[in-house]
Amino acid sequence: MSTATTIKEKELFGHPIGLYVLFFTELWERFSYYGMRALLTLYIATSATAVDPGLGWSSKDAIWLYGWYTMLVYVASIPGGWIADKFLGQKKTVMLGGFLLCLGHGVLAIPTTWAFFTGLVLIILGVGGLKPNISTMVGGLYKEGDIRRDSGFTIFYIGINIGAFLSSIIVGLVAYKYGWHYGFGLAGIGMLIGQLVFIAGQKHLKHVGNFLGKSENPEEKEAMNKPLTKIEKDRVIVLLISFLIVIVFWGAFEQAGGLMNLYTDAKVDRSINFASLTEIPAAVFQSLNAGYIIIFGTIIGGFWIWWKKKGRESSSLFKMAIGTIIMGLGYVFMMFASKEAGSVEFGKAAMVWVFLAYLFHTIGELCTSPVSLSFITKLAPVKYASIMMGIYFAATGFGNKLAGSIGESAQLEAYQGTMTMSKEDTYKFTSKDSIKVKKIVDGKKVINDVFVYPIEEDKNFSIKGKVYVENNDVVFKGYKNGEDLGNTFALNDVNDSKENLIQYLNDNNVTADNPYHVNLKFEKDADKAQVVENKGDGKNYGVSFVIEEEQNEQEYKIFQFLTFFTVIFGLLLILFLKKLKKLTHGAEDKEGTINEETEGFELADSKSNS
């Protein structure tokens, strides 16, 4: 499948200049998307009464919203592809999507709840218009059989990841230093730059991405009107099967923005002594995947070229299967991290496990994702080009929703209670801290630092403790001093929570000599904290906690499940590889017949046939 023009295009480094227009457009679009995504679950799960407040949702609910959002972002690619194929063409739909994205990210920078959800909706619509069509335009730059197509997609893919790499670091640090909405705003500036690049580069895209329904080219008119052949139908079938691989792959891989992000924030030792930083913000770790892609993209592509020249199996489906297996093995390192964090009370894992996990995830992604994009443009009938690309991104979206559901299952429902101790009693469990206080002076917002107990400024605090059963009752003791914590809060009598807690502790033989551990989180009611008269009264505090040992065990099980499921799925795919390849009717065998790639610019697998 190709809509490339027969007119000789200007080239740069052996590729059409239009590729680099799309490269920089996508770079900045991904800068905005991944910058915002790096903050998303962290912002949602941050307390609404924190110094830099978030939405105050639980980690479980944060991953739930993340799963739905990332699914809808990609599922919107189906109507986005349909609009391009039936009405506007790819180029105009990309332009429309870009405008919606600029608006969405701009609204997201406004620090209100309505703006947050409005911004998410606009971003969903914008990505739906831009994402499938800009990828299809990359394929349209090359004629059928052009060996440069795969390397063109890898160049494009590297652009995506330069944007993702820069944004996760820059946006993450800006949000850490200045606040969530400054980070969201910076992501929006990135999208605006991308839109300006696309507008300025239109002269290099005149012959690609146009609406074929109004084409004067007789071959394109015929392609849009004639029914699918038997070969085209078989290729559509194998594409739909490949989309199942996509769902499984991204269902495991996309734990990055959800479970992995929250786990890194809570369970990984991120201590550092660099400049003014004492710890690495969790959002910055989202740059690892993109950074690895920039480093290893050409190396992995070169490996597959060498592998192919050796006469070994190197079809797109085979690469996707191998990529799924390698990616899944990355969770072995998260199992090690979970074991290390759970080996001591309130323990944290070393950063090296996260670095290794993302390395394997990235190698798996490089074997799978750019290949699958190119695979679609090879097999999809021209009349359904954007729709098939849209279905691919929808499959990615379903994978993201699967990722959200898996991530949710790793988060235990917290036990809830109400604080019963007086404000003065909290002093012996907490210490004074430097707290930022916002005040309005002469109509201007001023932020001052005060050194005070958190409860005096309605801020959250936590108390670490031990928990066990004694005389058929739950006992809470201070972790260090052993002081009784039973009078600090009362469990809410909802769904027999106290009876369920006692049952769980008894089932695991938890006693005073072998206690489990809790981190009691005390949080002021967000609405009551807005009433100035109530400031510092020490009232209206809720309490939540999970059993640390139970949470560690649950996370370990999820990492273990992700490992076994992806590896077994990849092996089954290899088992049925020959039957699936027959349905392609040699679509990949045509490569290499024309436009041999200039030596030195082979950035990806030059031949994907077996």
Side-chain angles (χ1 to χ4, degrees), residues 473-580:
D473 195 13
V474 185
V475 176
F476 294 89
K477 295 285 187 180
Y479 176 61
K480 289 185 177 180
N481 54 25
E483 190 163 351
D484 183 24
L485 300 179
N487 61 347
T488 63
F489 73 99
L491 276 172
N492 294 342
D493 190 18
V494 178
N495 298 325
D496 300 321
S497 58
K498 184 174 182 179
E499 288 74 12
N500 291 334
L501 178 57
I502 292 173
Q503 183 66 49
Y504 171 78
L505 296 174
N506 281 330
D507 290 344
N508 287 274
N509 300 313
V510 179
T511 63
D513 295 326
N514 182 35
Y516 273 1
H517 299 84
V518 294
N519 189 16
L520 304 172
K521 297 179 181 179
F522 293 77
E523 181 177 354
K524 177 91 171 185
D525 179 86
D527 293 330
K528 297 291 175 57
Q530 300 301 316
V531 182
V532 177
E533 290 77 9
N534 293 340
K535 185 176 179 180
D537 62 4
K539 298 178 181 179
N540 306 117
Y541 269 81
V543 182
S544 64
F545 66 90
V546 296
I547 306 298
E548 293 292 311
E549 286 79 1
E550 185 182 13
Q551 182 63 54
N552 285 331
E553 182 182 1
Q554 184 70 2
E555 288 162 347
Y556 181 85
K557 287 179 180 178
I558 295 300
F559 293 139
Q560 186 180 58
F561 165 77
L562 288 166
T563 301
F564 286 121
F565 180 67
T566 49
V567 170
I568 291 171
F569 182 85
L571 292 174
L572 286 174
L573 186 60
I574 292 172
L575 185 64
F576 291 100
L577 185 63
K578 287 185 178 180
K579 292 183 179 180
L580 292 173

Side-chain angles (χ1 to χ4, degrees), residues 359-607:
L359 175 61
F360 271 65
H361 291 176
T362 301
I363 294 172
E365 182 185 2
L366 283 168
C367 292
T368 302
S369 190
V371 171
S372 59
L373 284 171
S374 182
F375 190 57
I376 293 165
T377 64
K378 294 170 190 172
L379 269 67
V382 65
K383 67 188 294 184
Y384 296 128
S386 293
I387 291 177
M388 293 307 295
M389 190 64 77
I391 295 174
Y392 163 77
F393 284 114
T396 303
F398 292 132
N400 277 264
K401 182 63 182 77
L402 176 62
S405 297
I406 294 172
E408 277 184 71
S409 66
Q411 306 299 314
L412 298 176
E413 288 285 353
Y415 292 96
Q416 303 287 338
T418 303
M419 188 177 81
T420 55
M421 62 179 164
S422 68
K423 179 174 71 172
E424 290 72 24
D425 286 336
T426 68
Y427 296 164
K428 61 185 177 184
F429 296 111
T430 60
S431 59
K432 289 185 177 182
D433 196 5
S434 180
I435 298 174
K436 294 183 184 299
V437 179
K438 298 178 182 178
K439 294 182 179 179
I440 304 297
V441 179
D442 296 330
K444 295 182 179 179
K445 184 188 294 183
V446 178
I447 299 179
N448 295 322
D449 279 334
V450 295
F451 191 67
V452 70
Y453 288 102
I455 200 167
E456 298 286 4
E457 294 293 333
D458 289 341
K459 299 306 176 186
N460 306 334
F461 61 92
S462 61
I463 302 174
K464 292 180 179 179
K466 303 175 183 178
V467 60
Y468 54 90
V469 174
E470 190 173 76
N471 299 324
N472 203 34
D473 195 13
V474 185
V475 176
F476 294 89
K477 295 285 187 180
Y479 176 61
K480 289 185 177 180
N481 54 25
E483 190 163 351
D484 183 24
L485 300 179
N487 61 347
T488 63
F489 73 99
L491 276 172
N492 294 342
D493 190 18
V494 178
N495 298 325
D496 300 321
S497 58
K498 184 174 182 179
E499 288 74 12
N500 291 334
L501 178 57
I502 292 173
Q503 183 66 49
Y504 171 78
L505 296 174
N506 281 330
D507 290 344
N508 287 274
N509 300 313
V510 179
T511 63
D513 295 326
N514 182 35
Y516 273 1
H517 299 84
V518 294
N519 189 16
L520 304 172
K521 297 179 181 179
F522 293 77
E523 181 177 354
K524 177 91 171 185
D525 179 86
D527 293 330
K528 297 291 175 57
Q530 300 301 316
V531 182
V532 177
E533 290 77 9
N534 293 340
K535 185 176 179 180
D537 62 4
K539 298 178 181 179
N540 306 117
Y541 269 81
V543 182
S544 64
F545 66 90
V546 296
I547 306 298
E548 293 292 311
E549 286 79 1
E550 185 182 13
Q551 182 63 54
N552 285 331
E553 182 182 1
Q554 184 70 2
E555 288 162 347
Y556 181 85
K557 287 179 180 178
I558 295 300
F559 293 139
Q560 186 180 58
F561 165 77
L562 288 166
T563 301
F564 286 121
F565 180 67
T566 49
V567 170
I568 291 171
F569 182 85
L571 292 174
L572 286 174
L573 186 60
I574 292 172
L575 185 64
F576 291 100
L577 185 63
K578 287 185 178 180
K579 292 183 179 180
L580 292 173
K581 283 176 62 179
K582 285 182 181 179
L583 293 173
T584 68
H585 293 277
E588 296 183 296
D589 297 336
K590 297 178 182 179
E591 293 182 323
T593 58
I594 59 172
N595 296 329
E596 288 295 338
E597 207 169 2
T598 304
E599 187 175 357
F601 295 102
E602 293 180 324
L603 297 180
D605 43 338
S606 61
K607 296 180 182 179

